[in-house]
Amino acid sequence: MSNRYSRQELFSPIGKKGQDRIRNKHVLIIGAGALGAGNAESLVRAGIGRLTIADRDYVESSNLQRQQLYTEQDVKNRLPKAIAAKKRLTQINSDVTIDALVMDVSVEEMEKLVRGVDVIIDATDNFDTRMIINDISQKYKTPWIYGACVGSYGLSYTFIPGKTPCLQCLLHTVPIGGLTCDTAGIISPTVQMVVAHQVTEALKILVEDDKVLLSKLVSFDLWKNDHTAINVDSLRRGTCTSCGNSPIYPYLHPDNQTKTAVLCGRDTVQIRPPRQTPRDLVTLADKLSKLGGKISQNDFLLSYSSGAIRMVVFKDGRVLIHGTKDVVEAKTLYHRYIE
Ligand SMILES: [Zn+2]
């Protein structure tokens, strides 16, 4: 397929030289939901050399409306998103090296994953992880591209260590928090618009065309026909603990890491053991079967339901407790059934 990238090479800011650069680059995508799936598909089609995609969740039917890599069969098989994503991405472009990781990316893992990465794409739905990405980006001088969306509203920004303000700087002034939950619903064009910004910025970084990078915080509301771009250059703070003159990267410290998380708009609490050790699902299934209830299993996870209780246990030790947003209640159920 020698003409595979001909249209992209004809685009003069990329050209053959840019295409060669793209082929030799490595992108890390954190999250394989709507934003992660969109970014991954575009970058794989664009001929990225290597793609690492990490996600903690599995495919559900409510994802299919906007998460473009997934199918009804993935829902039936309850496949982890990272695995389902890799399956589809490999069908699209078999030349790309794809690392699919079923995990809740913690600081320890992020420190390993970022090595050799040219750009990190934020496709998460929470600020806990974004703050970790932000500090990792500063520590390892790796650019990252923020993206968030809810309803018909979306936001994006490109963080370049040493040049732009960091996320901590922005959070001091710009009200970009609170956009973490999809309880307000979402339409798929919102996702596509954020993905368009993120992929374009990623391509500029990959072909090393830094001078045309966005350098503005873009936001839009597709339903209300609003589009804005705010210059935030002046918000960089010398005293910032992440990007300032004496950085301490506070979010990489163990005290600042969350062990339980309420998953966005899902009535679900995730519990992550302090040390992630592989869990023996066979033994656990045996134990749970004695309590009654329904158990189903595949190579990656075990699902257990009894009455109103539903929980999913992943091989890496994480547990999702469905049907509650209450962390304490979730922990109680966790200790009752799992530990
Ligand atoms: Zn900063």
Side-chain angles (χ1 to χ4, degrees):
M1 280 198 264
S2 60
N3 65 347
R4 176 163 196 149
Y5 304 111
S6 60
R7 300 303 185 278
Q8 197 163 277
E9 288 173 1
L10 278 171
F11 178 69
S12 59
I14 294 182
K16 277 204 181 317
K17 196 172 152 196
Q19 192 61 44
D20 283 342
R21 285 181 170 161
I22 292 171
R23 190 174 17 253
N24 289 308
K25 298 287 166 76
H26 182 183
V27 176
L28 170 62
I29 301 180
I30 306 295
L35 289 176
N39 273 284
E41 178 167 343
S42 290
L43 289 167
V44 160
R45 286 190 189 276
I48 185 72
R50 181 173 199 146
L51 179 84
T52 302
I53 186 160
D55 192 278
R56 63 187 178 187
D57 211 349
Y58 58 93
V59 184
E60 294 192 290
S61 64
S62 65
N63 303 148
L64 298 181
Q65 165 251 5
R66 68 197 178 286
Q67 304 191 11
Q68 67 193 64
L69 293 173
Y70 310 129
T71 63
E72 291 175 359
Q73 197 58 46
D74 297 330
V75 176
K76 268 191 205 127
N77 295 341
R78 214 172 274 198
L79 276 188
K81 288 182 182 177
I83 303 296
K86 179 175 178 171
K87 181 170 62 85
R88 176 70 182 138
L89 292 168
T90 307
Q91 287 168 349
I92 291 169
N93 191 343
S94 56
D95 291 337
V96 180
T97 304
I98 298 166
D99 305 307
L101 305 167
V102 185
M103 62 160 66
D104 184 37
V105 183
S106 65
V107 171
E108 203 181 10
E109 281 123 7
M110 199 87 83
E111 297 253 15
K112 290 179 200 148
L113 293 180
V114 73
R115 308 293 165 104
V117 162
D118 297 286
V119 57
I120 305 168
I121 293 183
D122 160 36
T124 66
D125 56 8
N126 66 84
F127 270 87
D128 287 341
T129 313
R130 287 192 184 110
M131 298 317 286
I132 298 173
I133 296 174
N134 188 58
D135 272 351
I136 285 285
S137 152
Q138 293 298 328
K139 185 175 171 185
Y140 294 94
K141 308 288 173 248
T142 308
W144 73 282
I145 306 170
Y146 163 70
C149 46
V150 62
S152 54
Y153 179 69
L155 272 174
S156 185
Y157 186 71
T158 306
F159 293 97
I160 307 289
K163 280 192 184 159
T164 68
C166 81
L167 181 60
Q168 241 213 103
C169 294
L170 292 196
L171 288 175
H172 268 260
T173 326
V174 188
I176 58 177
L179 244 191
T180 58
C181 228
D182 60 2
T183 44
I186 186 157
I187 53 171
S188 65
T190 315
V191 174
Q192 296 303 331
M193 190 79 166
V194 173
V195 167
H197 281 292
Q198 288 182 299
V199 173
T200 308
E201 290 290 288
L203 288 173
K204 291 175 191 173
I205 292 170
L206 297 174
V207 304
E208 299 166 28
D209 197 0
D210 297 353
K211 60 187 181 304
V212 291
L213 283 167
L214 187 60
S215 81
K216 284 182 179 152
L217 177 69
V218 291
S219 68
F220 60 84
D221 189 318
L222 289 172
W223 209 262
K224 295 178 183 161
N225 311 305
D226 283 342
H227 295 264
T228 56
I230 311 165
N231 190 329
V232 290
D233 288 350
S234 63
L235 301 183
R236 196 171 166 205
R237 297 174 313 131
T239 54
C240 177
T241 51
S242 294
C243 76
N245 303 324
S246 323
I248 54 164
Y249 313 119
Y251 293 90
L252 305 185
H253 194 272
D255 292 350
N256 289 316
Q257 293 162 31
T258 314
K259 300 296 188 296
T260 55
V262 180
L263 299 196
C264 217
R266 296 248 327 255
D267 245 5
T268 298
V269 175
Q270 172 182 263
I271 296 177
R272 196 175 74 198
R275 265 178 295 282
Q276 283 179 268
T277 43
R279 192 186 288 275
D280 179 359
L281 296 182
V282 178
T283 311
L284 183 64
D286 188 49
K287 178 183 153 190
L288 289 172
S289 67
K290 291 177 184 132
L291 302 172
K294 199 168 147 257
I295 297 168
S296 61
Q297 231 177 318
N298 63 22
D299 287 342
F300 311 99
L301 53 85
L302 178 154
S303 171
Y304 173 72
S305 56
S306 172
I309 300 156
R310 192 162 76 85
M311 49 183 78
V312 172
V313 185
F314 287 81
K315 246 189 185 165
D316 67 4
R318 286 177 305 113
V319 180
L320 299 182
I321 312 281
H322 294 287
T324 182
K325 280 181 185 140
D326 183 51
V327 170
V328 179
E329 188 194 356
K331 275 187 176 164
T332 307
L333 291 168
Y334 173 80
H335 290 303
R336 187 176 304 159
Y337 288 95
I338 311 294
E339 290 289 87

